[in-house]
Amino acid sequence: MEIRELKEKLNLVNDVINPIGINIHLVKKEEDGSESILDADISPELANELKEIFTVAINEKILNNDEIELKDISTAQETINSLFFYDLEEFPEKLAIAKEFDPFINYPTFSFSNDDMETIKAIIVTIGDAGNYFSIYKHVYPVTIVRQDKMLGLIPIGNRFEKLNSNILQINSSIDFLFADDSLVINNLKTLASAYGYNEIVKNQARQNIELISGLDLIDNLEELTSLVDNVKYAKRVLRIKPDSPVLQLAKTRIIAFITSHPKLSGKIRLNAAGDKILLDTDVSKVITIGILNDDYLKSNLTELDYESESKLTIADEV
């Protein structure tokens, strides 16, 4: 998905000819650990207010933001003003129910007498109709629910304050994830990592990339790279190595020659005794080797400085 396509989909919030609909569903945690989806019955007044706050949020964050980018989550570095398209093969198991969610079929209705609000894991806000819609996924954090047994809440009844006698589910205009046209778009990477197992997926996918690297017979002690991906920071770097990387198509001797002739890389990467394989003996050598395999290095014709291609850090500063 491209940012243009995403904006076209989200722009339905501004359709003044065909007023948009909105509905709310809740993801509930069951006692056996499974999850279910419940319909949330909301008043017309609340529906209109929710449409307004999400229309404003989407326009400000995405539609009117000329600098917003949509990047593949597998290859992009985490930067501000970015959304991330989920393009990994392994999908977060904890988001599976949302991926299969159809907002226009009948679900049981959430009941305040039968359902405990503290079992709500997420809120799904769907905007549009069956022919054209997208869904906003909002994770429910502990602070999202105001618990009446944890605080003395005062609510006005006429001119008198009465005690809050039920839990309150708060909702704001923040967006964690978007589901649009069977695609998952991430706005909140921290939540994806902390609550939906993303870091483990990154490690799993990075280990698969190490299998690609092993086929080059380029690294003398490949186990050092394997252990490195237990740290998600480095696993993300390995994940960015793609099967179609030009470097992976080169002969091993060509890569070794590039390293040994490079004025800076040659001092940061050692070879084995035979001089035909890379020896990973420092974290710096590991990170730079990953960058080489991803074809990250370039030289400025103007300044003669060597750069890492995407972040444009000098080699001396990148680790």
Side-chain angles (χ1 to χ4, degrees), residues 34-300:
S34 64
E35 296 175 351
S36 61
I37 291 180
L38 299 175
D39 177 63
D41 184 17
I42 61 175
S43 69
E45 293 79 12
L46 177 56
N48 288 332
E49 189 165 343
L50 287 172
K51 282 193 292 186
E52 177 62 26
I53 66 170
F54 283 113
T55 295
V56 171
I58 289 168
N59 276 309
E60 289 182 352
K61 167 71 179 180
I62 303 173
L63 296 181
N64 297 334
N65 186 350
D66 293 333
E67 300 190 7
I68 192 83
E69 295 181 277
L70 179 61
K71 302 178 178 180
D72 288 346
I73 200 169
S74 64
T75 56
Q77 297 191 31
E78 298 173 22
T79 57
I80 61 172
N81 222 5
S82 294
L83 301 169
F84 299 92
F85 173 71
Y86 195 91
D87 64 329
L88 298 175
E89 291 182 9
E90 184 179 351
F91 195 83
E93 183 179 346
K94 294 180 180 180
L95 277 175
I97 194 170
K99 184 179 182 182
E100 303 300 324
F101 168 64
D102 181 347
F104 299 103
I105 66 174
N106 291 324
Y107 292 96
T109 301
F110 179 88
S111 167
F112 287 95
S113 58
N114 298 325
D115 298 306
D116 185 349
M117 195 178 294
E118 294 196 32
T119 64
I120 297 174
K121 172 190 173 183
I123 303 167
I124 304 177
V125 181
T126 301
I127 297 176
D129 56 35
N132 187 23
Y133 70 92
F134 63 89
S135 294
I136 297 167
Y137 187 100
K138 295 173 61 64
H139 181 72
V140 171
Y141 302 88
V143 295
T144 307
I145 298 176
V146 178
R147 293 168 172 82
Q148 54 91 19
D149 61 338
K150 301 294 183 182
M151 64 175 292
L152 188 61
L154 304 180
I155 57 175
I157 304 294
N159 291 322
R160 173 181 294 175
F161 285 105
E162 297 285 352
K163 180 180 179 294
L164 176 69
N165 57 17
S166 64
N167 293 342
I168 295 176
L169 179 63
Q170 301 180 85
I171 185 169
N172 58 28
S173 62
S174 66
I175 296 170
D176 291 321
F177 319 131
L178 287 164
F179 286 88
D181 291 338
D182 297 321
S183 297
L184 170 60
V185 175
I186 310 298
N187 181 50
N188 191 333
L189 276 174
K190 289 184 178 179
T191 294
L192 187 67
S194 64
Y196 296 92
Y198 174 61
N199 284 349
E200 289 306 310
I201 292 174
V202 169
K203 294 175 187 178
N204 292 340
Q205 299 279 288
R207 293 184 185 105
Q208 292 182 24
N209 279 2
I210 289 178
E211 292 299 316
L212 293 173
I213 297 169
S214 68
L216 291 174
D217 194 30
L218 176 68
I219 299 174
D220 187 72
N221 51 343
L222 191 62
E223 67 277 3
E224 289 294 321
L225 206 56
T226 302
S227 62
L228 190 70
V229 301
D230 289 336
N231 183 324
V232 71
K233 170 185 173 181
Y234 298 116
K236 288 179 179 180
R237 289 176 177 264
V238 175
L239 180 63
R240 291 199 290 269
I241 300 173
K242 289 301 181 183
D244 58 355
S245 168
V247 177
L248 298 185
Q249 318 307 318
L250 297 176
K252 178 176 66 173
T253 53
R254 179 94 174 267
I255 301 173
I256 294 295
F258 171 78
I259 294 170
T260 56
S261 63
H262 196 286
K264 293 185 178 178
L265 296 183
S266 59
K268 295 180 180 292
I269 298 178
R270 291 200 309 123
L271 303 181
N272 61 2
D276 63 348
K277 292 183 182 180
I278 293 172
L279 186 65
L280 300 176
D281 56 354
T282 66
D283 285 347
V284 171
S285 67
K286 296 169 190 177
V287 170
I288 291 180
T289 297
I290 293 168
I292 290 171
L293 293 172
N294 205 25
D295 199 23
D296 279 348
Y297 296 104
L298 55 84
K299 179 183 287 291
S300 167

